Amino acid sequence: MANNEHLMKTYAPLDVTFEHGEGAYLWDTNKEKYLDALCGIAVCGLGHAHPAVTKTISEQAAKLLHTSNLYQIDKQQHLADQLCEISGMSRVFFSNSGAEANEAAIKIARLFGHKNKIDNPSIIVMDNSFHGRTMATLSATGNRKVQAGFEPLVQGFIRAPYNNIEAIRNIAENNNNVVAILVEPVQGEGGINIPDPDYLNQLREICDQQNWLLMLDEIQTGMARTGKWFAFQHNNIQPDVMTLAKALGNGVPIGACLANDKAGEVLQPGNHGSTFGGNPLMCATASTVIDTIKADNILQNVNQMSQYIINSFKEKIGLLDGVREIRGMGLMIGIELGADTLNHDCTDFVKLALEQHLLINVTAGNVIRLLPPLILDKQQADIIINTVSDLVTASLQNKAAA
Ligand SMILES: *Cc1c(COP(=O)(O)O)cnc(C)c1O
């Protein structure tokens, strides 16, 4: 029997091992079937074992896995073309993870600052944000738990409250070292926090006035998750830099840092790189992910399922006392609960749902987070709605009875 004896204790995994998957479903080693409403934390947007993705991986693996960036990689160039077409950006750097994509963005911002004669370039980052676990990205992250014990942190970040334009204006007036804002269009780990509808527009305006780069971390919100290719497209603006990862490869590790004309010329040969970054296997797979999202009308499905799920939750549990808010954008859905109204820890919902063969997540302490696959159908949506509603209702009823 395999066990955890030789793994570092970085994770506290649930007591279940999955053996195979298909679409929105997973099967564990006891052949039990589960509905996956988390899809590997917003990674497997097209579901598990998608035939088109499997075909590309198999064919590419049989042809060529890796050559390094010492040579031209046509699959990488093609994926960059596709990403720029759907995003309106100009240039792409490929990495292997989200944190690394953000590292590239942070390096672009600093180099951009130095090129503009700013000696101590600083980046504005938000409270409750999440940008990754490398030293620079954990320093940018607005969560003390992620940072604690890893001091000294990387310098050059200025923190501001999320969804607060006045705070950004204040920083602009009092600080001459700012070169960029790094922000999530919707905060994922922070609790599915959706800012005011014109928040990004106002950030864009300030960045234009100040010659700052607007850098959007779309690692969780990107690739159709919110019902558009990228969340910024709800706002009719363009960022200067955008980072992607998670759903880009549907499970193969790939990240990307995209930039417009202005920011896309900052990095020059020798400034940055990655051995694996943008290798043929990852890029061919991500290209198929984009083709499939287009061919299968995934955006339309996300918008339909989103409305259906959010409205159903509001009808079923929206008026319960312990339910503070039901919110979502596309298939990024959060149910915020009053932790004091529950008869158990909010995080226990993960285990309770697992017992019902449903995979969900709890984030920010009191928010049930749903990130179901983008291919979800109505019958699967009903399972999620009913199971979660019943669990929430029971947890509040028991409290009242106790
Ligand atoms: C997941 C995530 C990251 C980190 O991505 P990794 O691939 O785990 O390094 C960064 N930013 C956001 C918004 C994320 O959701």
Side-chain angles (χ1 to χ4, degrees):
M1 253 314 255
N3 58 45
N4 278 341
E5 236 171 80
H6 295 295
L7 295 176
M8 285 199 196
K9 296 178 176 176
T10 40
Y11 310 106
L14 293 158
D15 193 17
V16 61
T17 305
F18 296 109
E19 204 167 52
H20 72 109
E22 193 183 317
Y25 290 101
L26 285 167
W27 283 262
D28 72 8
T29 39
N30 298 319
K31 317 280 183 230
E32 296 280 334
K33 184 182 176 184
Y34 299 76
L35 179 61
D36 187 358
L38 191 59
C39 52
I41 319 180
V43 168
C44 304
L46 297 175
H48 301 285
H50 190 288
V53 175
T54 305
K55 182 164 181 277
T56 296
I57 293 174
S58 316
E59 288 178 2
Q60 188 59 44
K63 252 196 278 181
L64 187 66
L65 290 180
H66 179 85
T67 56
S68 91
N69 288 296
L70 296 174
Y71 312 99
Q72 308 260 339
I73 300 173
D74 58 352
K75 297 287 186 284
Q76 191 182 120
Q77 291 163 7
H78 177 61
L79 176 59
D81 289 349
Q82 286 177 297
L83 284 171
C84 289
E85 189 224 294
I86 58 177
S87 67
M89 305 299 274
S90 314
R91 290 190 183 272
V92 188
F93 171 83
F94 288 106
S95 64
N96 314 290
S97 68
E100 284 176 82
N102 282 337
E103 288 278 346
I106 292 164
K107 285 180 73 173
I108 287 173
R110 286 191 169 190
L111 203 49
F112 171 82
H114 286 297
K115 284 183 175 168
N116 287 307
K117 308 265 181 285
I118 293 174
D119 292 334
N120 194 12
S122 304
I123 300 170
I124 299 178
V125 291
M126 305 301 161
D127 288 338
N128 298 317
S129 61
F130 183 79
H131 297 297
R133 299 283 196 159
T134 61
M135 277 311 305
T137 59
L138 77 82
S139 300
T141 289
N143 179 346
R144 271 305 294 162
K145 274 194 208 151
V146 171
Q147 300 171 338
F150 300 110
E151 296 81 4
L153 300 180
V154 173
Q155 300 188 348
F157 297 104
I158 300 174
R159 202 159 300 285
Y162 190 59
N163 195 27
N164 184 331
I165 289 296
E166 217 33 57
I168 306 295
R169 290 220 175 90
N170 269 333
I171 295 171
E173 273 172 29
N174 296 306
N175 194 309
N176 296 324
N177 291 318
V178 177
V179 292
I181 300 177
L182 174 62
V183 59
E184 296 157 270
V186 175
Q187 288 187 329
E189 306 304 304
I192 315 289
N193 301 323
I194 303 169
D196 295 337
D198 67 342
Y199 181 56
L200 292 184
N201 303 67
Q202 297 206 42
L203 291 182
R204 178 69 273 175
E205 208 173 287
I206 296 174
C207 285
D208 287 340
Q209 287 163 0
Q210 303 287 334
N211 194 32
W212 297 348
L213 300 178
L214 179 60
M215 309 204 295
L216 298 182
D217 181 339
E218 293 239 19
I219 288 165
Q220 195 160 144
T221 52
M223 299 306 292
R225 175 56 56 185
T226 70
K228 302 254 187 201
W229 278 107
F230 308 105
F232 76 78
Q233 292 168 334
H234 291 281
N235 285 72
N236 228 347
I237 54 148
Q238 282 291 128
D240 299 294
V241 175
M242 169 175 71
T243 52
L244 301 176
K246 292 209 163 90
L248 178 57
N250 209 61
V252 303
I254 180 170
C257 177
L258 286 68
N260 63 5
D261 287 337
K262 180 162 132 183
E265 306 290 334
V266 171
L267 293 176
Q268 291 295 317
N271 288 145
H272 198 44
S274 164
T275 299
F276 291 136
N279 88 13
L281 182 71
M282 305 310 158
C283 290
T285 308
S287 283
T288 295
V289 169
I290 292 174
D291 290 339
T292 307
I293 290 174
K294 284 186 187 170
D296 293 356
N297 286 323
I298 295 292
L299 290 169
Q300 197 189 337
N301 189 59
V302 170
N303 288 309
Q304 282 172 355
M305 287 301 120
S306 171
Q307 270 205 338
Y308 178 63
I309 295 174
I310 293 172
N311 289 341
S312 303
F313 273 130
K314 284 186 175 165
E315 267 171 40
K316 278 181 173 281
I317 56 172
L319 295 177
L320 295 181
D321 253 354
V323 178
R324 280 202 198 143
E325 193 180 24
I326 293 160
R327 54 182 179 252
M329 196 184 248
L331 287 177
M332 209 173 164
I333 296 169
I335 301 171
E336 183 178 335
L337 301 165
D340 52 334
T341 59
L342 300 173
N343 65 346
H344 57 70
D345 247 29
C346 192
T347 47
D348 289 346
F349 279 117
V350 172
K351 268 187 194 156
L352 293 167
L354 187 71
E355 285 167 14
Q356 307 288 319
H357 288 197
L358 176 70
L359 307 187
I360 64 167
N361 178 247
V362 170
T363 189
N366 64 334
V367 181
I368 294 180
R369 176 170 59 159
L370 304 170
L371 298 164
L374 312 176
I375 51 149
L376 197 77
D377 66 25
K378 186 161 175 296
Q379 190 202 342
Q380 295 158 349
D382 281 328
I383 296 174
I384 297 173
I385 294 159
N386 293 330
T387 308
V388 172
S389 295
D390 287 352
L391 286 174
V392 168
T393 307
S395 74
L396 299 171
Q397 271 170 0
N398 290 356
K399 175 80 176 190

